[in-house]
Amino acid sequence: MKQVKFKEIKHQFPKDSWLYWRNEKHGGELDEEWVIYIDHDVKGQHLDLDDPFPFFLSVENQGESNKRDYIAILIEGNLTARNIYNHESEGSVCLCVLGNLDAENMIVGGQEVYITGDLSVRECFWGDYNHGDLMVKGDMKTRVFVATEGYHYDYKRERIAAEFFLCDEEEEDAVFDRRFPEAIFPEEILYTEDEVEEEDLFTWHAWLSRSAAITMLEENRSIIKNEINLLSKEEQKAVELASIPKYFENTLFNDSSSFLFQLDNFHQLMRIVELHKEEYQYYTFEDYEVQLHPDAQEGQAHVMFTCSSGFIFFICIVKDENSRDVLSAVYRENEESSFINIFQSEIPIHYISQLNILWNDLLTRAERGAYFYNKFLKTVTPEEVLSYLNLEMVQEKYNDYRDPDKNNFWYGGYCFLMRRHGERGLAGSIDIGKEREADVFDMRTYCFRPDRLEYPEKCNLYYSSSQENLTHDSYSGDGEVFKVFLYDWELFRESIEWYPKIGKAFKAMNEEYLEEKNK
């Protein structure tokens, strides 16, 4: 172990590390700070980043040495420790490992942790507070990954493998429920319901005692349960889908007689179509654009499946010879050909099979779409969207939709763009975008917009899957966004998950703006 000045060893720190660029940017302000330097692999028990000196003194088998205040630890090799932690979240010692790091648990925050190799944490990694950064150039693996109160890490999780994630920026306020951390952590670490105030439930840290967890580590006790009975997000979504009310029955058909029984399903479908109140609604499925029209003065209610080749299936209600309503299904090969009843005896059977696939996909989409669309309407209200747009921050700072310097900000890995209500005579809009993995900068974006300028009744959802037109779907455009109808229910479900990030970001940024304004 060597104790050296930062200026003597700064060239060995990665150029994109916080310590290096901070020192370069501020004219060597850290040059005289002390660093613990190790030029080989290190293995030990508990590394306290508030007081790292004893750990390295013991593993190096050195005698007494002068202890100093350190800004960082630099290890030119691999680090293995049973547990790594620190209590201080405002300015603990930075850790830079030019190799791999292996530990049972890590509870860190208040410093940069930079690993050029892989990071393996067998039980739990907990990064806390926005003065902390985790940079891992290799792969990270852990059982439980926790990030609270603005802790910085790879939000895309491209190289983070974990069984369970508890990350503040992934959750809406209503999800900060004690049952999630109590499924993972022992009671010694958890605060009780009586100990937690409602206004503190904006972070998982509200339930977790950092000091209690560190005490358990120092006593060589595990801070997570052996058996974690908690559904993954995928499992939670599967349970939710299974609970959606069923609107349609006997959806399959193979001839004209069985198709006639789809009349009730068609009526039910049109009731769902009317939820949007637009006469033209559509989505895409495989090579087909699917158009849905409710009964209106301009024409009868119908569903049309149009293939990119020009082939069309058309379903509507007609009168039979007894003037009774029956469901009709016809097709045509192209614009030059006439419509033909699909159930004529000479029609190829694969036409009926293809229509079955399209029809059943539509009914599934409508069933799930009605559920998530109604949930969207309850979650995203015009009153709340307008309340965000009326914040002083928006009215005074981010107040020009056409000016890229005055219409957006970044918070928690997301970009928030806003248009004030009434600007250029348009309804307001709050857009939330997330960067896509691409060779050029690109984002996918959800837009939440009141349905009209005066007395809005609801909010509509708009979406862009790529602002650079890089995706191959109907929502990809050069800076353009497209209206979403409930048949793309996955988009409504995800938009409901994203929407609460707006409240957290706007409130935090507005408070910051007001503090700066009132200085």
Side-chain angles (χ1 to χ4, degrees), residues 240-491:
E240 184 176 27
L241 291 181
S243 70
I244 293 175
K246 299 298 180 184
Y247 288 87
F248 308 105
E249 297 180 355
N250 303 319
T251 61
L252 295 173
F253 53 87
N254 51 31
D255 54 28
S256 59
S257 298
S258 57
F259 183 72
L260 293 178
F261 289 105
Q262 299 303 310
L263 180 62
D264 287 342
N265 286 337
F266 184 85
H267 284 308
Q268 187 67 273
L269 174 64
M270 287 300 119
R271 283 191 282 271
I272 292 175
V273 169
E274 290 169 358
L275 290 175
H276 270 300
K277 300 182 180 178
E278 273 92 358
E279 295 180 6
Y280 177 65
Q281 303 170 30
Y282 67 94
Y283 67 92
T284 58
F285 173 63
E286 295 182 345
D287 290 333
Y288 286 85
E289 179 178 281
V290 183
Q291 301 173 19
L292 299 102
H293 293 259
D295 195 3
Q297 292 181 353
E298 291 75 12
Q300 66 189 142
H302 65 268
V303 176
M304 186 161 63
F305 303 93
T306 304
C307 187
S308 56
S309 66
F311 185 96
I312 293 176
F313 288 113
F314 190 92
I315 298 177
C316 67
I317 295 176
V318 298
K319 298 289 185 180
D320 68 4
E321 63 274 9
N322 298 315
S323 297
R324 294 176 302 186
D325 286 347
V326 295
L327 200 60
S328 166
V330 297
Y331 79 93
R332 72 179 185 190
E333 298 283 355
N334 50 57
E335 292 184 357
E336 286 73 37
S337 59
S338 301
F339 279 106
I340 302 173
N341 189 319
I342 194 173
F343 297 109
Q344 290 184 8
S345 57
E346 68 273 14
I347 302 304
I349 189 66
H350 71 264
Y351 283 9
I352 297 177
S353 299
Q354 181 62 29
L355 183 57
N356 248 310
I357 293 171
L358 293 167
W359 180 246
N360 277 270
D361 176 75
L362 169 57
L363 297 188
T364 299
R365 287 171 178 263
E367 199 167 68
R368 294 177 177 180
Y371 172 83
F372 287 107
Y373 181 61
N374 284 319
K375 190 174 181 179
F376 173 87
L377 294 179
K378 293 177 182 178
T379 303
V380 184
T381 65
E383 294 80 12
E384 187 168 62
V385 169
L386 293 178
S387 73
Y388 296 142
L389 292 175
N390 286 326
L391 291 172
E392 290 181 63
M393 169 194 71
V394 178
Q395 296 295 312
E396 299 173 6
K397 183 176 182 180
Y398 301 108
N399 56 8
D400 191 341
Y401 191 73
R402 292 167 291 184
D403 187 338
D405 294 325
K406 295 183 178 180
N407 67 1
N408 75 88
F409 63 85
W410 287 82
Y411 184 91
Y414 291 84
C415 180
F416 298 87
L417 184 146
M418 61 232 77
R419 179 177 66 217
R420 293 184 300 166
H421 197 62
E423 185 177 334
R424 294 183 292 152
L426 300 172
S429 180
I430 298 180
D431 309 348
I432 174 171
K434 189 174 184 180
E435 186 178 356
R436 295 178 66 255
E437 185 66 25
D439 293 333
V440 298
F441 179 81
D442 191 26
M443 283 198 307
R444 62 190 191 95
T445 304
Y446 286 106
C447 307
F448 305 92
R449 299 178 177 177
D451 60 342
R452 55 177 180 247
L453 192 58
E454 295 185 1
Y455 308 111
E457 292 182 351
K458 63 177 182 177
C459 283
N460 291 319
L461 179 66
Y462 291 78
Y463 179 66
S464 171
S465 58
S466 167
Q467 67 182 31
E468 297 293 338
N469 206 20
L470 298 180
T471 56
H472 303 288
D473 58 51
S474 60
Y475 296 107
S476 182
D478 184 13
E480 188 176 358
V481 296
F482 303 87
K483 188 168 185 178
V484 184
F485 294 100
L486 59 81
Y487 318 101
D488 281 323
W489 57 271
E490 295 101 329
L491 298 182

